[in-house]
Amino acid sequence: MLHVYGYAGCTTVKKARDWATNMGVEHDYAHFNKVDDLAAQLDEWVAAAGIDAVFNEKSQTLKKMDDVERNAILATDASKLNAMLQDPRLIKRPVGSNGTNVLTGFDKEAWRSAFA
């Protein structure tokens, strides 16, 4: 089963969910703020995909921060993880996971290869 995580209002999350439905891929969806143990989930995603794939350096949330705060977050992997826990808008979305593969962002061909 494919698990899709993100924000319901995000158009990229909607594209991923629509793709799964249209491809007949059994899936469920969870809003980042509703994930029971986000810390454990983030650890799994980072272990599988890498911190650079999971942390969204292009997020508007990060861009709106002052330089000192942004640089402190970007300084280490641990600070990125902590920042994502404090503000899930810093997680690249959507996250797709089937227990074996973890992908962030939505690339139709990558998702087809990993999940279809």
Side-chain angles (χ1 to χ4, degrees):
M1 162 150 339
L2 171 61
H3 304 284
V4 179
Y5 303 89
Y7 289 107
C10 175
T11 58
T12 309
V13 171
K14 182 176 178 357
K15 286 178 189 176
R17 294 173 69 192
D18 289 347
W19 171 85
T21 298
N22 293 336
M23 293 294 293
V25 175
E26 185 180 357
H27 67 285
D28 60 15
Y29 165 76
H31 190 287
F32 286 137
N33 292 335
K34 306 268 186 196
V35 174
D36 287 335
D37 189 352
L38 185 58
Q41 205 63 74
L42 276 170
D43 287 342
E44 286 182 30
W45 298 338
V46 168
I51 190 76
D52 293 333
V54 179
F55 184 81
N56 187 359
E57 288 198 34
K58 295 180 181 179
S59 77
Q60 290 302 311
T61 300
L62 189 66
K63 289 178 182 180
K64 290 179 182 178
M65 293 178 184
D66 63 52
D67 289 343
V68 172
E69 186 178 12
R70 184 181 322 105
N71 290 337
I73 289 171
L74 295 174
T76 66
D77 291 352
S79 59
K80 289 177 184 178
L81 274 170
N82 185 56
M84 288 186 286
L85 280 172
Q86 298 304 310
D87 190 344
R89 294 176 298 175
L90 293 170
I91 302 170
K92 188 169 183 179
R93 59 191 182 265
V95 175
S97 174
N98 64 359
T100 304
N101 300 306
V102 173
L103 295 178
T104 60
F106 179 66
D107 176 286
K108 190 183 296 188
E109 293 308 313
W111 279 53
R112 182 185 326 259
S113 177
F115 304 130

